[in-house]
Amino acid sequence: MTKICLVEDDPDLRENLAVVLGRADYDVRTASNGVHAIPMLLDWRPDMVVCDMLMPDGEGFEVLRSVQSTLPDTSFVMMSGAIGEVADVLEAARLLGADAILRKPFTPDELLETLAQLRDQARTAVNVSAT
């Protein structure tokens, strides 16, 4: 079962996304911010991280840097509902190493499709390196 760490400061959205992911047979653990997420990541070692970009107490870029330095094989999805100039920063997440980005609001199907694509890419990479 694919393990996903979901990092989102909005409690309602965090709970709703966790339900969607659980129903799709992902093993999900959640954190409300980067400060809580980073120790969990190091201990649990998820296959994927889905993380909000702007949060109090440890924003998404801090989590991304931690994942890159300690869990380089973990896929990372950055999400944000920011608008205006701040929204452009979400595009920078991909340049800084995020495997995918999602603009809020997004549908459950868009989230699941993004994760399925990343899971398939990771499997392909493992198969290529094994040969």
Side-chain angles (χ1 to χ4, degrees), residues 19-40:
V19 168
V20 167
L21 294 170
R23 287 183 179 160
D25 290 327
Y26 288 102
D27 183 4
V28 183
R29 292 192 187 172
T30 64
S32 59
N33 59 47
V35 171
H36 294 125
I38 292 171
M40 180 197 322

Side-chain angles (χ1 to χ4, degrees), residues 6 21 31 34 44 46-47 52 58 64 66-67 80-81 87 104 107 118 124:
L6 172 63
L21 294 170
W44 191 47
D47 303 297
D52 192 13
L64 176 59
S66 180
V67 167
S80 179
K104 297 176 190 174
T107 67
L118 292 175
T124 300

Side-chain angles (χ1 to χ4, degrees), residues 35-78:
V35 171
H36 294 125
I38 292 171
M40 180 197 322
L41 294 169
L42 298 176
D43 181 54
W44 191 47
R45 308 183 73 76
D47 303 297
M48 298 179 176
V49 175
V50 178
C51 185
D52 192 13
M53 183 176 74
L54 300 174
M55 300 175 288
D57 299 324
E59 63 181 34
F61 287 105
E62 293 173 39
V63 178
L64 176 59
R65 282 191 298 274
S66 180
V67 167
Q68 289 174 323
S69 65
T70 59
L71 302 167
D73 294 332
T74 297
S75 299
F76 196 97
V77 178
M78 187 79 77

Side-chain angles (χ1 to χ4, degrees), residues 75 99-100 114-127:
S75 299
D99 298 292
T114 298
L115 296 175
Q117 289 172 355
L118 292 175
R119 187 182 57 223
D120 292 346
Q121 289 171 4
R123 285 182 182 154
T124 300
V126 167
N127 290 337

